Amino acid sequence: SGESCKYFNNPMWPGEAHSLKVEKILFKGKSDYQEILVFESTSYGKVLVLDGIVQLTEKDECAYQEMIAHLPLCSLPSPKNVLVVGGGDGGVLREISRHSSVERIDICEIDKMVIDVCEKYFPYLSLGFEDPRVSLHVGDAAKFLREASEGMYDAIIVDSSDPIGPAQELVERPFFETIARALRPGGVLCTMAESMWLHTHLIQDMLSICRATFKGSVHYAWTSVPTYPSGSIGFMICSTDGPPVDFLNPVNPIEKQDARKSQRELKFYNTEMHKAAFALPSFAKKELNKF
Ligand code: AAT
């Protein structure tokens, strides 16, 4: 009631709110696109918040970033050209860097301030930008993909925020069509696809768009991230028509690829977690298999 009401008004999860105790506010600012907050929490380390929504915490970022990067890249025999959409903190770049087959990593992040703030407060994530294979493009990914050359990427990873604000277009059909065009035949997409506990309709919409757009295979996978609403997050993982991709049985195990093993060990991803990510609870199977 009263003052606390605003915390229950997020349209992505009406009537619920998740809280972490703030020990110290480290940065608070407003970019052209969103409000940015970094704070030190009591039990999850530093936290990045955009427009009031937790994007990552030091303690559990590994679960999200390792899964969103390695689910697609370990499913291809030898990925070379990779595009990241969003991901301005650099964490997904850090994970892609482990793959020694990769020759080029483009990243299109809309908000330069996210990149700068993360460089200062999350150096163990933004070190991803130091990889010489990375080219940064600051701008709207919807526009970037409309202009991308046909068939140029082996994999596209969409690490974007929730579809309110600047990421709205990134769950709509035209965006998926430009992704399919930018992928080579048998190329793969992995995009953040919200929670099966909270967003059945959104996931169903994404599934039907993806099934119409990606003629290889389309799957929903998920993992546990304690600080995301409902404690879990999903991924839509798809391939274009071409050499078939068997997402459930990764052909390119990370154990063989990890070129930077000495710098930072994987904390979450392994081949067993990869395979397990595609298993769905009965309720989700029923809801999602219709689409
Ligand atoms: N790896 C951290 C997790 C994120 S960050 C999402 C990023 O997507 C943000 O930096 C945001 O600025 C960027 N972004 C949003 N819209 C666009 C766009 N149109 N083009 C390019 N970049 C964009 C995601 C956490 C998911 C949270 C789930 N609840």
Side-chain angles (χ1 to χ4, degrees), residues 13 34 48 50 53-56 64-65 85-89 91-92 108-111 114 139-142 159-162 166-167 170 192 194 228-229 233:
W13 33 84
Q34 50 210 345
L48 172 69
L50 299 178
I53 300 176
V54 171
Q55 304 293 306
L56 60 90
Y64 175 81
Q65 328 251 33
V85 166
D89 49 278
V92 172
C108 181
E109 160 65 56
I110 203 167
D111 196 341
V114 171
D140 181 2
D159 174 22
S160 75
S161 22
D162 299 293
L170 312 188
M192 192 277 287
E194 301 295 352
Y228 285 165
I233 192 91

PDB file of all heavy atoms in Angstrom, residues 13 34 48 50 53-56 64-65 85-89 91-92 108-111 114 139-142 159-162 166-167 170 192 194 228-229 233, ligand 1:
ATOM      1  N   TRP A  13       6.045  -8.002 -14.594  1.00  0.00           N
ATOM      2  CA  TRP A  13       5.709  -8.912 -13.474  1.00  0.00           C
ATOM      3  C   TRP A  13       4.844  -8.165 -12.464  1.00  0.00           C
ATOM      4  O   TRP A  13       5.261  -7.886 -11.337  1.00  0.00           O
ATOM      5  CB  TRP A  13       6.959  -9.502 -12.814  1.00  0.00           C
ATOM      6  CG  TRP A  13       8.142  -8.567 -12.820  1.00  0.00           C
ATOM      7  CD1 TRP A  13       8.399  -7.580 -11.935  1.00  0.00           C
ATOM      8  CD2 TRP A  13       9.200  -8.532 -13.794  1.00  0.00           C
ATOM      9  NE1 TRP A  13       9.548  -6.924 -12.289  1.00  0.00           N
ATOM     10  CE2 TRP A  13      10.060  -7.492 -13.431  1.00  0.00           C
ATOM     11  CE3 TRP A  13       9.495  -9.282 -14.949  1.00  0.00           C
ATOM     12  CZ2 TRP A  13      11.202  -7.156 -14.173  1.00  0.00           C
ATOM     13  CZ3 TRP A  13      10.623  -8.954 -15.682  1.00  0.00           C
ATOM     14  CH2 TRP A  13      11.454  -7.913 -15.289  1.00  0.00           C
ATOM     15  N   GLN A  34      17.911   5.215 -20.757  1.00  0.00           N
ATOM     16  CA  GLN A  34      17.430   4.560 -19.537  1.00  0.00           C
ATOM     17  C   GLN A  34      18.128   5.108 -18.291  1.00  0.00           C
ATOM     18  O   GLN A  34      19.135   5.794 -18.375  1.00  0.00           O
ATOM     19  CB  GLN A  34      17.667   3.054 -19.651  1.00  0.00           C
ATOM     20  CG  GLN A  34      19.094   2.677 -20.057  1.00  0.00           C
ATOM     21  CD  GLN A  34      19.179   1.374 -20.839  1.00  0.00           C
ATOM     22  OE1 GLN A  34      18.226   0.590 -20.872  1.00  0.00           O
ATOM     23  NE2 GLN A  34      20.312   1.120 -21.469  1.00  0.00           N
ATOM     24  N   LEU A  48      24.002  -4.317 -11.377  1.00  0.00           N
ATOM     25  CA  LEU A  48      23.663  -3.335 -12.430  1.00  0.00           C
ATOM     26  C   LEU A  48      22.158  -3.352 -12.651  1.00  0.00           C
ATOM     27  O   LEU A  48      21.567  -4.405 -12.895  1.00  0.00           O
ATOM     28  CB  LEU A  48      24.372  -3.703 -13.750  1.00  0.00           C
ATOM     29  CG  LEU A  48      23.957  -2.868 -14.975  1.00  0.00           C
ATOM     30  CD1 LEU A  48      24.442  -1.416 -14.875  1.00  0.00           C
ATOM     31  CD2 LEU A  48      24.491  -3.496 -16.279  1.00  0.00           C
ATOM     32  N   LEU A  50      18.937  -1.378 -14.742  1.00  0.00           N
ATOM     33  CA  LEU A  50      18.513  -0.441 -15.795  1.00  0.00           C
ATOM     34  C   LEU A  50      17.008  -0.234 -15.673  1.00  0.00           C
ATOM     35  O   LEU A  50      16.250  -1.223 -15.635  1.00  0.00           O
ATOM     36  CB  LEU A  50      18.842  -0.996 -17.194  1.00  0.00           C
ATOM     37  CG  LEU A  50      20.324  -1.261 -17.494  1.00  0.00           C
ATOM     38  CD1 LEU A  50      20.483  -1.861 -18.899  1.00  0.00           C
ATOM     39  CD2 LEU A  50      21.161   0.006 -17.376  1.00  0.00           C
ATOM     40  N   ILE A  53      15.254  -2.436 -13.247  1.00  0.00           N
ATOM     41  CA  ILE A  53      15.282  -3.904 -13.421  1.00  0.00           C
ATOM     42  C   ILE A  53      16.721  -4.413 -13.303  1.00  0.00           C
ATOM     43  O   ILE A  53      17.627  -3.899 -13.975  1.00  0.00           O
ATOM     44  CB  ILE A  53      14.684  -4.302 -14.790  1.00  0.00           C
ATOM     45  CG1 ILE A  53      13.230  -3.820 -14.895  1.00  0.00           C
ATOM     46  CG2 ILE A  53      14.766  -5.817 -14.995  1.00  0.00           C
ATOM     47  CD1 ILE A  53      12.576  -4.082 -16.233  1.00  0.00           C
ATOM     48  N   VAL A  54      16.918  -5.432 -12.462  1.00  0.00           N
ATOM     49  CA  VAL A  54      18.261  -6.007 -12.280  1.00  0.00           C
ATOM     50  C   VAL A  54      18.713  -6.660 -13.588  1.00  0.00           C
ATOM     51  O   VAL A  54      18.015  -7.515 -14.141  1.00  0.00           O
ATOM     52  CB  VAL A  54      18.259  -7.061 -11.148  1.00  0.00           C
ATOM     53  CG1 VAL A  54      19.580  -7.815 -11.104  1.00  0.00           C
ATOM     54  CG2 VAL A  54      17.989  -6.397  -9.803  1.00  0.00           C
ATOM     55  N   GLN A  55      19.863  -6.245 -14.087  1.00  0.00           N
ATOM     56  CA  GLN A  55      20.420  -6.841 -15.312  1.00  0.00           C
ATOM     57  C   GLN A  55      21.462  -7.896 -14.969  1.00  0.00           C
ATOM     58  O   GLN A  55      21.598  -8.881 -15.667  1.00  0.00           O
ATOM     59  CB  GLN A  55      21.076  -5.769 -16.196  1.00  0.00           C
ATOM     60  CG  GLN A  55      20.158  -4.624 -16.562  1.00  0.00           C
ATOM     61  CD  GLN A  55      19.024  -5.047 -17.475  1.00  0.00           C
ATOM     62  OE1 GLN A  55      19.244  -5.631 -18.530  1.00  0.00           O
ATOM     63  NE2 GLN A  55      17.803  -4.754 -17.072  1.00  0.00           N
ATOM     64  N   LEU A  56      22.230  -7.638 -13.922  1.00  0.00           N
ATOM     65  CA  LEU A  56      23.190  -8.654 -13.507  1.00  0.00           C
ATOM     66  C   LEU A  56      23.697  -8.358 -12.110  1.00  0.00           C
ATOM     67  O   LEU A  56      23.665  -7.216 -11.645  1.00  0.00           O
ATOM     68  CB  LEU A  56      24.368  -8.745 -14.487  1.00  0.00           C
ATOM     69  CG  LEU A  56      25.222  -7.511 -14.712  1.00  0.00           C
ATOM     70  CD1 LEU A  56      26.395  -7.439 -13.740  1.00  0.00           C
ATOM     71  CD2 LEU A  56      25.769  -7.550 -16.135  1.00  0.00           C
ATOM     72  N   TYR A  64      23.808 -16.696 -16.441  1.00  0.00           N
ATOM     73  CA  TYR A  64      23.194 -16.134 -17.645  1.00  0.00           C
ATOM     74  C   TYR A  64      24.196 -15.985 -18.792  1.00  0.00           C
ATOM     75  O   TYR A  64      23.956 -16.447 -19.906  1.00  0.00           O
ATOM     76  CB  TYR A  64      22.574 -14.788 -17.271  1.00  0.00           C
ATOM     77  CG  TYR A  64      22.003 -14.023 -18.437  1.00  0.00           C
ATOM     78  CD1 TYR A  64      20.742 -14.329 -18.934  1.00  0.00           C
ATOM     79  CD2 TYR A  64      22.715 -12.989 -19.027  1.00  0.00           C
ATOM     80  CE1 TYR A  64      20.217 -13.623 -20.002  1.00  0.00           C
ATOM     81  CE2 TYR A  64      22.188 -12.283 -20.095  1.00  0.00           C
ATOM     82  CZ  TYR A  64      20.940 -12.595 -20.578  1.00  0.00           C
ATOM     83  OH  TYR A  64      20.423 -11.899 -21.641  1.00  0.00           O
ATOM     84  N   GLN A  65      25.317 -15.369 -18.516  1.00  0.00           N
ATOM     85  CA  GLN A  65      26.261 -15.051 -19.611  1.00  0.00           C
ATOM     86  C   GLN A  65      26.894 -16.300 -20.204  1.00  0.00           C
ATOM     87  O   GLN A  65      27.091 -16.390 -21.403  1.00  0.00           O
ATOM     88  CB  GLN A  65      27.396 -14.137 -19.131  1.00  0.00           C
ATOM     89  CG  GLN A  65      26.995 -13.183 -18.044  1.00  0.00           C
ATOM     90  CD  GLN A  65      26.913 -11.760 -18.498  1.00  0.00           C
ATOM     91  OE1 GLN A  65      26.564 -11.496 -19.650  1.00  0.00           O
ATOM     92  NE2 GLN A  65      27.218 -10.858 -17.618  1.00  0.00           N
ATOM     93  N   VAL A  85      24.032  -8.674 -29.679  1.00  0.00           N
ATOM     94  CA  VAL A  85      23.112  -7.539 -29.613  1.00  0.00           C
ATOM     95  C   VAL A  85      22.926  -7.185 -28.146  1.00  0.00           C
ATOM     96  O   VAL A  85      22.643  -8.069 -27.333  1.00  0.00           O
ATOM     97  CB  VAL A  85      21.754  -7.921 -30.255  1.00  0.00           C
ATOM     98  CG1 VAL A  85      20.680  -6.904 -29.900  1.00  0.00           C
ATOM     99  CG2 VAL A  85      21.911  -8.051 -31.765  1.00  0.00           C
ATOM    100  N   GLY A  86      23.074  -5.905 -27.790  1.00  0.00           N
ATOM    101  CA  GLY A  86      23.019  -5.505 -26.377  1.00  0.00           C
ATOM    102  C   GLY A  86      24.341  -5.870 -25.724  1.00  0.00           C
ATOM    103  O   GLY A  86      25.403  -5.705 -26.319  1.00  0.00           O
ATOM    104  N   GLY A  87      24.256  -6.389 -24.480  1.00  0.00           N
ATOM    105  CA  GLY A  87      25.463  -6.936 -23.840  1.00  0.00           C
ATOM    106  C   GLY A  87      26.567  -5.928 -23.568  1.00  0.00           C
ATOM    107  O   GLY A  87      27.748  -6.291 -23.503  1.00  0.00           O
ATOM    108  N   GLY A  88      26.208  -4.659 -23.355  1.00  0.00           N
ATOM    109  CA  GLY A  88      27.196  -3.600 -23.167  1.00  0.00           C
ATOM    110  C   GLY A  88      28.105  -3.762 -21.964  1.00  0.00           C
ATOM    111  O   GLY A  88      29.147  -3.114 -21.870  1.00  0.00           O
ATOM    112  N   ASP A  89      27.733  -4.635 -21.043  1.00  0.00           N
ATOM    113  CA  ASP A  89      28.598  -4.891 -19.885  1.00  0.00           C
ATOM    114  C   ASP A  89      29.846  -5.679 -20.276  1.00  0.00           C
ATOM    115  O   ASP A  89      30.839  -5.672 -19.564  1.00  0.00           O
ATOM    116  CB  ASP A  89      27.828  -5.664 -18.814  1.00  0.00           C
ATOM    117  CG  ASP A  89      27.110  -6.862 -19.410  1.00  0.00           C
ATOM    118  OD1 ASP A  89      26.016  -6.666 -19.969  1.00  0.00           O
ATOM    119  OD2 ASP A  89      27.650  -7.987 -19.366  1.00  0.00           O
ATOM    120  N   GLY A  91      30.127  -9.020 -20.593  1.00  0.00           N
ATOM    121  CA  GLY A  91      30.173 -10.384 -20.070  1.00  0.00           C
ATOM    122  C   GLY A  91      30.018 -11.461 -21.141  1.00  0.00           C
ATOM    123  O   GLY A  91      30.703 -12.486 -21.104  1.00  0.00           O
ATOM    124  N   VAL A  92      29.130 -11.222 -22.091  1.00  0.00           N
ATOM    125  CA  VAL A  92      28.940 -12.215 -23.156  1.00  0.00           C
ATOM    126  C   VAL A  92      30.173 -12.246 -24.067  1.00  0.00           C
ATOM    127  O   VAL A  92      30.603 -13.323 -24.500  1.00  0.00           O
ATOM    128  CB  VAL A  92      27.627 -11.936 -23.938  1.00  0.00           C
ATOM    129  CG1 VAL A  92      27.517 -12.840 -25.152  1.00  0.00           C
ATOM    130  CG2 VAL A  92      26.423 -12.144 -23.028  1.00  0.00           C
ATOM    131  N   CYS A 108      26.635  -4.814 -31.013  1.00  0.00           N
ATOM    132  CA  CYS A 108      25.837  -3.605 -31.226  1.00  0.00           C
ATOM    133  C   CYS A 108      25.041  -3.320 -29.967  1.00  0.00           C
ATOM    134  O   CYS A 108      24.057  -4.004 -29.664  1.00  0.00           O
ATOM    135  CB  CYS A 108      24.916  -3.783 -32.427  1.00  0.00           C
ATOM    136  SG  CYS A 108      23.940  -2.303 -32.719  1.00  0.00           S
ATOM    137  N   GLU A 109      25.489  -2.325 -29.226  1.00  0.00           N
ATOM    138  CA  GLU A 109      24.853  -1.917 -27.962  1.00  0.00           C
ATOM    139  C   GLU A 109      24.347  -0.489 -28.163  1.00  0.00           C
ATOM    140  O   GLU A 109      25.064   0.362 -28.672  1.00  0.00           O
ATOM    141  CB  GLU A 109      25.874  -1.998 -26.824  1.00  0.00           C
ATOM    142  CG  GLU A 109      25.577  -1.191 -25.568  1.00  0.00           C
ATOM    143  CD  GLU A 109      24.337  -1.637 -24.797  1.00  0.00           C
ATOM    144  OE1 GLU A 109      24.256  -2.805 -24.429  1.00  0.00           O
ATOM    145  OE2 GLU A 109      23.441  -0.775 -24.576  1.00  0.00           O
ATOM    146  N   ILE A 110      23.127  -0.233 -27.723  1.00  0.00           N
ATOM    147  CA  ILE A 110      22.524   1.083 -27.983  1.00  0.00           C
ATOM    148  C   ILE A 110      23.073   2.172 -27.056  1.00  0.00           C
ATOM    149  O   ILE A 110      23.115   3.348 -27.413  1.00  0.00           O
ATOM    150  CB  ILE A 110      20.976   0.982 -27.865  1.00  0.00           C
ATOM    151  CG1 ILE A 110      20.286   2.094 -28.652  1.00  0.00           C
ATOM    152  CG2 ILE A 110      20.508   0.964 -26.415  1.00  0.00           C
ATOM    153  CD1 ILE A 110      18.795   1.879 -28.847  1.00  0.00           C
ATOM    154  N   ASP A 111      23.518   1.770 -25.864  1.00  0.00           N
ATOM    155  CA  ASP A 111      23.771   2.766 -24.819  1.00  0.00           C
ATOM    156  C   ASP A 111      25.247   2.804 -24.398  1.00  0.00           C
ATOM    157  O   ASP A 111      25.715   1.979 -23.618  1.00  0.00           O
ATOM    158  CB  ASP A 111      22.882   2.418 -23.614  1.00  0.00           C
ATOM    159  CG  ASP A 111      22.754   3.570 -22.642  1.00  0.00           C
ATOM    160  OD1 ASP A 111      23.611   4.480 -22.687  1.00  0.00           O
ATOM    161  OD2 ASP A 111      21.812   3.553 -21.834  1.00  0.00           O
ATOM    162  N   VAL A 114      26.137   2.565 -20.663  1.00  0.00           N
ATOM    163  CA  VAL A 114      26.218   1.236 -20.023  1.00  0.00           C
ATOM    164  C   VAL A 114      27.649   0.707 -20.145  1.00  0.00           C
ATOM    165  O   VAL A 114      28.233   0.206 -19.178  1.00  0.00           O
ATOM    166  CB  VAL A 114      25.222   0.232 -20.673  1.00  0.00           C
ATOM    167  CG1 VAL A 114      25.463  -1.186 -20.152  1.00  0.00           C
ATOM    168  CG2 VAL A 114      23.778   0.649 -20.415  1.00  0.00           C
ATOM    169  N   GLY A 139      24.719   1.711 -31.250  1.00  0.00           N
ATOM    170  CA  GLY A 139      23.513   2.080 -31.983  1.00  0.00           C
ATOM    171  C   GLY A 139      22.411   1.077 -31.736  1.00  0.00           C
ATOM    172  O   GLY A 139      22.581   0.115 -30.981  1.00  0.00           O
ATOM    173  N   ASP A 140      21.275   1.317 -32.383  1.00  0.00           N
ATOM    174  CA  ASP A 140      20.112   0.451 -32.235  1.00  0.00           C
ATOM    175  C   ASP A 140      20.316  -0.814 -33.071  1.00  0.00           C
ATOM    176  O   ASP A 140      20.536  -0.747 -34.282  1.00  0.00           O
ATOM    177  CB  ASP A 140      18.871   1.216 -32.699  1.00  0.00           C
ATOM    178  CG  ASP A 140      17.602   0.390 -32.544  1.00  0.00           C
ATOM    179  OD1 ASP A 140      17.672  -0.752 -32.038  1.00  0.00           O
ATOM    180  OD2 ASP A 140      16.536   0.894 -32.939  1.00  0.00           O
ATOM    181  N   ALA A 141      20.212  -1.955 -32.409  1.00  0.00           N
ATOM    182  CA  ALA A 141      20.470  -3.223 -33.101  1.00  0.00           C
ATOM    183  C   ALA A 141      19.444  -3.510 -34.192  1.00  0.00           C
ATOM    184  O   ALA A 141      19.752  -4.201 -35.164  1.00  0.00           O
ATOM    185  CB  ALA A 141      20.494  -4.361 -32.097  1.00  0.00           C
ATOM    186  N   ALA A 142      18.233  -2.978 -34.046  1.00  0.00           N
ATOM    187  CA  ALA A 142      17.220  -3.222 -35.088  1.00  0.00           C
ATOM    188  C   ALA A 142      17.707  -2.593 -36.395  1.00  0.00           C
ATOM    189  O   ALA A 142      17.640  -3.207 -37.472  1.00  0.00           O
ATOM    190  CB  ALA A 142      15.878  -2.642 -34.659  1.00  0.00           C
ATOM    191  N   ASP A 159      21.517 -10.433 -26.295  1.00  0.00           N
ATOM    192  CA  ASP A 159      21.574 -10.239 -24.845  1.00  0.00           C
ATOM    193  C   ASP A 159      20.947  -8.887 -24.564  1.00  0.00           C
ATOM    194  O   ASP A 159      21.626  -7.912 -24.276  1.00  0.00           O
ATOM    195  CB  ASP A 159      23.045 -10.261 -24.404  1.00  0.00           C
ATOM    196  CG  ASP A 159      23.201  -9.915 -22.934  1.00  0.00           C
ATOM    197  OD1 ASP A 159      22.228 -10.056 -22.171  1.00  0.00           O
ATOM    198  OD2 ASP A 159      24.313  -9.499 -22.548  1.00  0.00           O
ATOM    199  N   SER A 160      19.620  -8.837 -24.699  1.00  0.00           N
ATOM    200  CA  SER A 160      18.986  -7.520 -24.592  1.00  0.00           C
ATOM    201  C   SER A 160      18.113  -7.452 -23.357  1.00  0.00           C
ATOM    202  O   SER A 160      17.807  -8.468 -22.737  1.00  0.00           O
ATOM    203  CB  SER A 160      18.162  -7.234 -25.836  1.00  0.00           C
ATOM    204  OG  SER A 160      16.989  -7.974 -25.787  1.00  0.00           O
ATOM    205  N   SER A 161      17.717  -6.234 -23.030  1.00  0.00           N
ATOM    206  CA  SER A 161      16.897  -6.040 -21.841  1.00  0.00           C
ATOM    207  C   SER A 161      15.445  -6.436 -22.145  1.00  0.00           C
ATOM    208  O   SER A 161      15.104  -6.806 -23.265  1.00  0.00           O
ATOM    209  CB  SER A 161      17.012  -4.614 -21.338  1.00  0.00           C
ATOM    210  OG  SER A 161      17.442  -3.742 -22.343  1.00  0.00           O
ATOM    211  N   ASP A 162      14.596  -6.348 -21.125  1.00  0.00           N
ATOM    212  CA  ASP A 162      13.197  -6.744 -21.291  1.00  0.00           C
ATOM    213  C   ASP A 162      12.508  -5.854 -22.321  1.00  0.00           C
ATOM    214  O   ASP A 162      12.870  -4.687 -22.482  1.00  0.00           O
ATOM    215  CB  ASP A 162      12.490  -6.642 -19.933  1.00  0.00           C
ATOM    216  CG  ASP A 162      13.132  -7.578 -18.924  1.00  0.00           C
ATOM    217  OD1 ASP A 162      13.018  -8.785 -19.113  1.00  0.00           O
ATOM    218  OD2 ASP A 162      13.783  -7.076 -17.996  1.00  0.00           O
ATOM    219  N   PRO A 166      13.995   0.503 -24.865  1.00  0.00           N
ATOM    220  CA  PRO A 166      14.719   0.405 -26.138  1.00  0.00           C
ATOM    221  C   PRO A 166      14.738  -0.988 -26.764  1.00  0.00           C
ATOM    222  O   PRO A 166      15.065  -1.143 -27.938  1.00  0.00           O
ATOM    223  CB  PRO A 166      16.145   0.860 -25.782  1.00  0.00           C
ATOM    224  CG  PRO A 166      16.260   0.749 -24.303  1.00  0.00           C
ATOM    225  CD  PRO A 166      14.871   0.911 -23.755  1.00  0.00           C
ATOM    226  N   ALA A 167      14.366  -2.022 -25.997  1.00  0.00           N
ATOM    227  CA  ALA A 167      14.441  -3.387 -26.540  1.00  0.00           C
ATOM    228  C   ALA A 167      13.104  -3.890 -27.100  1.00  0.00           C
ATOM    229  O   ALA A 167      13.004  -5.035 -27.538  1.00  0.00           O
ATOM    230  CB  ALA A 167      14.952  -4.340 -25.468  1.00  0.00           C
ATOM    231  N   LEU A 170      12.996  -5.722 -30.347  1.00  0.00           N
ATOM    232  CA  LEU A 170      13.835  -6.915 -30.458  1.00  0.00           C
ATOM    233  C   LEU A 170      13.101  -8.234 -30.211  1.00  0.00           C
ATOM    234  O   LEU A 170      13.689  -9.300 -30.262  1.00  0.00           O
ATOM    235  CB  LEU A 170      15.057  -6.801 -29.524  1.00  0.00           C
ATOM    236  CG  LEU A 170      15.840  -5.484 -29.585  1.00  0.00           C
ATOM    237  CD1 LEU A 170      17.112  -5.583 -28.774  1.00  0.00           C
ATOM    238  CD2 LEU A 170      16.167  -5.065 -31.012  1.00  0.00           C
ATOM    239  N   MET A 192      17.582 -13.944 -25.386  1.00  0.00           N
ATOM    240  CA  MET A 192      16.964 -13.963 -24.063  1.00  0.00           C
ATOM    241  C   MET A 192      15.457 -14.061 -24.263  1.00  0.00           C
ATOM    242  O   MET A 192      14.882 -13.304 -25.031  1.00  0.00           O
ATOM    243  CB  MET A 192      17.335 -12.648 -23.357  1.00  0.00           C
ATOM    244  CG  MET A 192      17.039 -12.591 -21.885  1.00  0.00           C
ATOM    245  SD  MET A 192      15.348 -12.146 -21.509  1.00  0.00           S
ATOM    246  CE  MET A 192      15.334 -10.407 -21.897  1.00  0.00           C
ATOM    247  N   GLU A 194      12.937 -14.566 -21.582  1.00  0.00           N
ATOM    248  CA  GLU A 194      12.116 -14.395 -20.377  1.00  0.00           C
ATOM    249  C   GLU A 194      11.827 -15.704 -19.632  1.00  0.00           C
ATOM    250  O   GLU A 194      12.443 -16.719 -19.878  1.00  0.00           O
ATOM    251  CB  GLU A 194      10.830 -13.640 -20.733  1.00  0.00           C
ATOM    252  CG  GLU A 194      11.089 -12.247 -21.332  1.00  0.00           C
ATOM    253  CD  GLU A 194      11.747 -11.268 -20.351  1.00  0.00           C
ATOM    254  OE1 GLU A 194      11.868 -11.602 -19.159  1.00  0.00           O
ATOM    255  OE2 GLU A 194      12.146 -10.169 -20.777  1.00  0.00           O
ATOM    256  N   TYR A 228      16.965 -12.823 -11.190  1.00  0.00           N
ATOM    257  CA  TYR A 228      15.963 -12.447 -12.200  1.00  0.00           C
ATOM    258  C   TYR A 228      14.580 -12.844 -11.665  1.00  0.00           C
ATOM    259  O   TYR A 228      14.464 -13.832 -10.928  1.00  0.00           O
ATOM    260  CB  TYR A 228      16.238 -13.146 -13.539  1.00  0.00           C
ATOM    261  CG  TYR A 228      17.396 -12.582 -14.341  1.00  0.00           C
ATOM    262  CD1 TYR A 228      17.953 -13.299 -15.399  1.00  0.00           C
ATOM    263  CD2 TYR A 228      17.925 -11.324 -14.059  1.00  0.00           C
ATOM    264  CE1 TYR A 228      19.010 -12.792 -16.150  1.00  0.00           C
ATOM    265  CE2 TYR A 228      18.982 -10.816 -14.803  1.00  0.00           C
ATOM    266  CZ  TYR A 228      19.521 -11.549 -15.844  1.00  0.00           C
ATOM    267  OH  TYR A 228      20.557 -11.052 -16.582  1.00  0.00           O
ATOM    268  N   PRO A 229      13.548 -12.085 -12.050  1.00  0.00           N
ATOM    269  CA  PRO A 229      12.205 -12.399 -11.536  1.00  0.00           C
ATOM    270  C   PRO A 229      11.852 -13.867 -11.778  1.00  0.00           C
ATOM    271  O   PRO A 229      12.055 -14.376 -12.882  1.00  0.00           O
ATOM    272  CB  PRO A 229      11.302 -11.474 -12.358  1.00  0.00           C
ATOM    273  CG  PRO A 229      12.200 -10.330 -12.722  1.00  0.00           C
ATOM    274  CD  PRO A 229      13.553 -10.925 -12.945  1.00  0.00           C
ATOM    275  N   ILE A 233      15.440 -17.896 -16.181  1.00  0.00           N
ATOM    276  CA  ILE A 233      15.374 -17.123 -17.425  1.00  0.00           C
ATOM    277  C   ILE A 233      15.518 -18.107 -18.579  1.00  0.00           C
ATOM    278  O   ILE A 233      16.199 -19.118 -18.447  1.00  0.00           O
ATOM    279  CB  ILE A 233      16.480 -16.043 -17.461  1.00  0.00           C
ATOM    280  CG1 ILE A 233      16.274 -15.037 -18.592  1.00  0.00           C
ATOM    281  CG2 ILE A 233      17.868 -16.648 -17.599  1.00  0.00           C
ATOM    282  CD1 ILE A 233      15.480 -13.853 -18.228  1.00  0.00           C
TER     283      ILE A 233
HETATM  284  N1  AAT B   1      24.482  -9.050 -19.873  1.00  0.00           N
HETATM  285  C1  AAT B   1      23.631  -8.192 -19.113  1.00  0.00           C
HETATM  286  C2  AAT B   1      22.270  -8.349 -19.355  1.00  0.00           C
HETATM  287  C3  AAT B   1      21.435  -7.608 -20.055  1.00  0.00           C
HETATM  288  S1  AAT B   1      21.942  -6.111 -20.644  1.00  0.00           S
HETATM  289  C4  AAT B   1      20.923  -5.667 -21.957  1.00  0.00           C
HETATM  290  C5  AAT B   1      21.543  -4.555 -22.800  1.00  0.00           C
HETATM  291  O1  AAT B   1      20.770  -4.413 -24.000  1.00  0.00           O
HETATM  292  C6  AAT B   1      21.584  -3.170 -22.149  1.00  0.00           C
HETATM  293  O2  AAT B   1      22.906  -2.741 -22.043  1.00  0.00           O
HETATM  294  C7  AAT B   1      20.762  -2.285 -23.106  1.00  0.00           C
HETATM  295  O3  AAT B   1      21.274  -0.971 -23.226  1.00  0.00           O
HETATM  296  C8  AAT B   1      20.883  -3.058 -24.414  1.00  0.00           C
HETATM  297  N2  AAT B   1      19.827  -2.769 -25.406  1.00  0.00           N
HETATM  298  C9  AAT B   1      18.511  -2.571 -25.180  1.00  0.00           C
HETATM  299  N3  AAT B   1      17.868  -2.302 -26.328  1.00  0.00           N
HETATM  300  C10 AAT B   1      18.787  -2.326 -27.320  1.00  0.00           C
HETATM  301  C11 AAT B   1      18.730  -2.106 -28.729  1.00  0.00           C
HETATM  302  N4  AAT B   1      17.580  -1.790 -29.340  1.00  0.00           N
HETATM  303  N5  AAT B   1      19.884  -2.217 -29.439  1.00  0.00           N
HETATM  304  C12 AAT B   1      21.054  -2.522 -28.827  1.00  0.00           C
HETATM  305  N6  AAT B   1      21.161  -2.735 -27.491  1.00  0.00           N
HETATM  306  C13 AAT B   1      20.046  -2.638 -26.735  1.00  0.00           C
HETATM  307  C14 AAT B   1      20.074  -8.191 -20.246  1.00  0.00           C
HETATM  308  C15 AAT B   1      19.479  -8.709 -18.977  1.00  0.00           C
HETATM  309  C16 AAT B   1      18.145  -9.377 -19.149  1.00  0.00           C
HETATM  310  C17 AAT B   1      17.251  -9.149 -17.958  1.00  0.00           C
HETATM  311  C18 AAT B   1      16.079 -10.060 -17.944  1.00  0.00           C
HETATM  312  N7  AAT B   1      15.072  -9.648 -16.984  1.00  0.00           N
END
